[in-house]
Amino acid sequence: MKMADLGDVRLHYREDGDPAGAPIVFANSLGTDMRLWDPVLPHLPEGLRIIRYDKRGHGLSTCPKPPYSMGALVRDVEQLLDMLEVREAMFVGLSIGGLIAQGLAAKRLDMVRSVVLSNTGAKIGTREVWDTRIGAVRDGGMEAVADATMERWFSKDFARTPELEIWRNMLTRTPVEGFIGCSHAIAGTDFYTPTAALRLPVLGIAGSEDGGTPPDLVRETVDLVPGSQFALIRRAGHLPCVEKPEEYAELLTNFLRETGHV
């Protein structure tokens, strides 16, 4: 675990695997930190250079005052990867991480070789939806949105397990200003045009029970890119890497091999 000083923000990041291996970068969802990917990593091929980070306002990264722009979130990871001298990475982004992935791919094709757009869209929700959530959190803290978020995030099967509390706790311990800042970034983002201009390998992953970014939204987004692939993980919600980590890792591994990354 290390901290990258980028000037207006300091990002907590971690590298695992082979420092000389092909890079794979993970960007997590709103209200989670890099531990989101813990269930998946043991199932990935050996020899990869695995990079994870906490976006601003989340995890152990610093929390500037909101609002944040999507441009700032993209620039954060761009500066981090420049510092780490990363080129031609596979970038795996889930939810807001998928928006960051689209923005970075449009900006830095030298940095991004292929993209996995997981449980995301070119545009997620409406300004009205996000303003309502921002208002609820500002008035009542993270607890005000916790139960509704868990219903959107997880399948009914997973919601009955003790593990649900891990993710509810992670959400409620997210700094209010970090959640509000990133919510503003999502509300202000529409990537339909830049994503439709992408020409690189793209894999979309959706969960059949995702109440946040339904499968049709993910499919519509990846279909913007010619030659893209789409995979549906059944009996999983917004975080299939948590509910079905082996199946999720298998999709990533196959895509890594198909694109010549391993």
Side-chain angles (χ1 to χ4, degrees):
M1 297 188 295
K2 297 178 181 178
M3 196 70 87
D5 188 346
L6 306 180
D8 66 329
V9 68
R10 290 182 295 281
L11 289 190
H12 171 234
Y13 72 97
R14 174 170 177 150
E15 291 193 75
D16 293 286
D18 184 351
I24 180 169
V25 182
F26 290 91
N28 46 281
S29 60
L30 181 67
T32 68
D33 59 39
M34 67 168 68
R35 290 175 293 180
L36 177 70
W37 305 105
D38 283 352
V40 170
L41 299 193
H43 305 292
L44 294 178
E46 293 184 1
L48 292 168
R49 181 187 181 190
I50 300 168
I51 300 165
R52 293 178 287 166
Y53 75 102
D54 293 333
K55 62 188 164 293
R56 59 171 63 200
H58 285 68
L60 301 182
S61 293
T62 55
C63 186
K65 289 189 178 302
Y68 310 153
S69 68
M70 187 55 62
L73 297 177
V74 171
R75 186 170 63 251
D76 288 347
V77 71
E78 178 188 12
Q79 289 180 300
L80 173 65
L81 297 182
D82 267 334
M83 186 193 81
L84 297 176
E85 299 182 343
V86 171
R87 294 294 180 270
E88 296 196 338
M90 174 182 283
F91 199 105
V92 183
L94 192 149
S95 198
I96 187 175
L99 288 171
I100 294 169
Q102 292 168 71
L104 185 64
K107 187 177 183 183
R108 293 289 302 271
L109 272 178
D110 62 320
M111 191 173 276
V112 182
R113 175 180 182 172
S114 57
V115 172
V116 177
L117 300 179
S118 179
N119 306 83
T120 191
K123 178 177 174 58
I124 301 175
T126 64
R127 169 63 71 176
E128 291 72 26
V129 165
W130 289 107
D131 282 347
T132 298
R133 290 178 192 167
I134 289 167
V137 168
R138 187 178 285 121
D139 293 341
M142 295 303 300
E143 277 289 343
V145 298
D147 289 339
T149 300
M150 293 301 101
E151 288 181 15
R152 287 193 304 273
W153 276 10
F154 294 110
S155 68
K156 290 180 174 61
D157 289 345
F158 189 85
R160 288 191 285 266
T161 69
E163 284 71 28
L164 180 75
E165 195 166 10
I166 294 172
W167 304 98
R168 195 183 190 283
N169 288 344
M170 190 180 291
L171 175 71
T172 58
R173 293 171 189 179
T174 299
V176 165
E177 289 196 332
F179 183 91
I180 289 174
C182 287
S183 294
H184 276 292
I186 297 170
T189 300
D190 182 339
F191 275 154
Y192 275 100
T193 298
T195 297
L198 292 177
R199 296 296 181 269
L200 78 171
V202 173
L203 169 65
I205 300 177
S208 65
E209 298 184 38
D210 187 348
T213 51
D216 285 350
L217 175 64
V218 182
R219 186 187 291 274
E220 175 188 51
T221 299
V222 300
D223 280 352
L224 295 170
V225 184
S228 61
Q229 302 178 40
F230 173 81
L232 180 67
I233 297 182
R234 299 195 178 279
R235 300 172 69 92
H238 191 55
L239 308 179
C241 51
V242 171
E243 294 195 59
K244 305 285 185 180
E246 292 185 28
E247 188 174 344
Y248 196 95
E250 183 178 6
L251 290 172
L252 295 186
T253 299
N254 290 340
F255 192 55
L256 284 163
R257 290 178 174 147
E258 288 169 14
T259 56
H261 208 62
V262 292

